Amino acid sequence: MAVSPESIQILTAGGLGVVGSAVVYRLARLRRLSFRYAVGWLTLCGIGMFAGITAPILEPLARSLKVSPAVVIALGAVVLLVAICIQLSISISGLQEQNRQLTEHIAHLRLEMEEKISELGK
Amino acid sequence: MLITKENTLVIVPALNEQDSVVDVLNELREFGFHVLVVSDGSTDDTATQSRAAGATVLELPINLGVGGALRAGFQHAVSRGYEAIVQVDADGQHPANEIINLITAANESGAHMVVGSRFISHDTTMSVGTSRRLVMRVLAWSASRATHIVITDATSGFRLIRMPLLGEFAQSFAVNYLGDTYEALVSAGRGGYKIQEIPAGLRPRQMGESSASIAQSVRFTLKGIGIAMLHIHFPISSLQDVTKSRI
């Protein structure tokens, strides 16, 4: 029985989704990935895993866009990936500022401590 | 308030400058300035040698970049009640005797930021390569456009900053390359703070190389211009808002 190219694409997406979910789950269990990011990545993997189920639902949309359902799924995954990247960038920017403030506080506290020790020495 | 030697803190941001910082500090001490060295995550003896030379040392445990070191210095100055700060490089480029000129200019004009320009001076001993000079010209042009003030040297790190601009910079200051010079000018200018340039005879650096290559300079220049054009420079309260909140 010949398998259509669409089926291969959907099966590949589903397979990658299963592997991705397993990796994300393992990282979350090892606490290398916090809950909020694990949820984001699992959602993305979920799109891949259920590609086969969602494909028929996406058929009308895909037809109106003159693309295959697999392309619609891939497009959705790209949008979600971009959203996760933007969210990560926001998080990193916030962490950079927090890191900077912490570094400044340590330096000020260290200087105050040195001055107090110097005063006590006198 | 009148700026004097006593209410001015000279901030020297330093990253692994053990070979030149002591000479710089000795020169500053001859003129009787209060000096703060901000060791920006140095892994050499910069902090120890600076302390031994009699300077107060703020030691950042990790490297934050010049802007990060300066903001920590600004915070120290504000918390200790200084009216103004003068940024001086640890590589010996900025002669201590020129600091008095910055203070005099700030007192005469009332400027919130006085920049020592390498390009309106007649006695500078510093030579700048053609490509680097071109980059500096582009940045000066961009800063002039953004602030509506004629700027000849937007990347000079030799400058005096006084209250209330100093207080604003202690809260918000860029860490990226050119953030402490070009972007600070743009932020201050757009915030309505008075900026003045005076000639400053700067010397060639005693030790080390410039922190950026030509390719990096071009990249950072484009980034800097983008920041100014898109109005995404670091935010500070305008002079008008600061004045209103004080009333």
Side-chain angles (χ1 to χ4, degrees):
Chain A
M1 196 178 81
V3 183
S4 69
E6 284 81 11
S7 302
I8 292 171
Q9 285 167 11
I10 288 163
L11 282 171
T12 309
L16 286 173
V18 172
V19 173
S21 297
V23 171
V24 170
Y25 177 71
R26 181 82 187 134
L27 288 172
R29 285 282 303 228
L30 292 171
R31 306 211 179 269
R32 301 278 297 273
L33 204 59
S34 69
F35 178 76
R36 61 197 292 214
Y37 299 116
V39 168
W41 289 115
L42 280 173
T43 309
L44 185 70
C45 294
I47 291 175
M49 273 204 294
F50 294 104
I53 304 164
T54 53
I57 305 166
L58 295 171
E59 199 77 53
L61 177 66
R63 225 178 296 127
S64 67
L65 293 171
K66 292 182 179 148
V67 291
S68 73
V71 170
V72 176
I73 292 165
L75 203 66
V78 167
V79 169
L80 197 67
L81 269 177
V82 169
I84 288 176
C85 286
I86 291 171
Q87 203 279 328
L88 283 175
S89 303
I90 293 167
S91 289
I92 290 169
S93 302
L95 286 172
Q96 277 179 332
E97 181 55 29
Q98 285 173 10
N99 185 40
R100 188 179 173 188
Q101 286 174 4
L102 206 61
T103 307
E104 287 167 350
H105 278 296
I106 290 169
H108 291 307
L109 286 171
R110 187 188 281 184
L111 178 60
E112 275 177 37
M113 193 182 72
E114 284 169 2
E115 285 173 343
K116 290 265 187 279
I117 290 169
S118 170
E119 274 173 32
L120 286 170
K122 285 173 190 170
Chain B
M1 188 192 278
L2 199 70
I3 301 172
T4 62
K5 252 190 217 177
E6 284 66 40
N7 65 14
T8 300
L9 179 67
V10 177
I11 300 177
V12 185
L15 169 63
N16 298 334
E17 298 278 9
Q18 63 176 15
D19 296 328
S20 59
V21 75
V22 174
D23 289 344
V24 172
L25 294 175
N26 287 339
E27 193 184 348
L28 289 166
R29 205 167 50 178
E30 274 175 34
F31 287 87
F33 292 112
H34 296 194
V35 184
L36 174 77
V37 173
V38 186
S39 173
D40 188 15
S42 296
T43 51
D44 65 358
D45 280 338
T46 300
T48 316
Q49 297 212 17
S50 301
R51 270 191 211 100
T56 304
V57 180
L58 201 56
E59 211 173 336
L60 299 176
I62 56 168
N63 177 258
L64 290 181
V66 186
L70 283 171
R71 188 172 84 168
F74 297 160
Q75 288 167 349
H76 177 83
V78 171
S79 71
R80 302 290 166 109
Y82 285 98
E83 175 63 19
I85 65 94
V86 173
Q87 295 171 215
V88 170
D89 283 358
D91 56 15
Q93 280 191 87
H94 303 144
N97 61 324
E98 298 272 358
I99 295 174
I100 297 294
N101 298 341
L102 294 178
I103 293 174
T104 307
N107 282 330
E108 283 173 2
S109 67
H112 300 99
M113 185 192 281
V114 182
V115 181
S117 170
R118 291 161 282 188
F119 307 119
I120 45 175
S121 171
H122 300 294
D123 58 350
T124 183
T125 54
M126 199 179 165
S127 64
V128 180
T130 315
S131 46
R132 200 174 287 278
R133 180 76 187 96
L134 184 69
V135 164
M136 286 171 169
R137 278 214 174 122
V138 172
L139 284 168
W141 166 80
S142 170
S144 303
R145 254 183 76 98
T147 58
H148 305 291
I149 302 157
V150 177
I151 306 283
T152 62
D153 192 357
T155 56
S156 167
F158 186 51
R159 51 182 71 185
L160 177 146
I161 299 161
R162 78 191 306 178
M163 294 293 273
L165 181 59
L166 176 60
E168 288 304 309
F169 279 174
Q171 291 174 49
S172 176
F173 202 68
V175 278
N176 51 296
Y177 186 70
L178 292 179
D180 60 304
T181 51
Y182 168 82
E183 203 178 325
L185 268 174
V186 174
S187 277
R190 285 197 172 144
Y193 294 93
K194 192 172 177 186
I195 299 168
Q196 187 192 1
E197 269 193 337
I198 63 164
L202 307 189
R203 298 182 293 228
R205 64 181 71 235
Q206 282 182 18
M207 295 283 171
E209 293 290 309
S210 173
S211 55
S213 65
I214 293 298
Q216 278 176 315
S217 298
V218 171
R219 186 161 63 87
F220 288 125
T221 302
L222 294 174
K223 202 170 139 189
I225 292 168
I227 283 170
M229 282 174 72
L230 297 169
H231 286 248
I232 50 172
H233 46 82
F234 66 88
I236 54 168
S237 300
S238 70
L239 179 61
Q240 205 178 2
D241 290 344
V242 171
T243 313
K244 261 188 211 165
S245 67
R246 280 184 168 188
I247 296 167

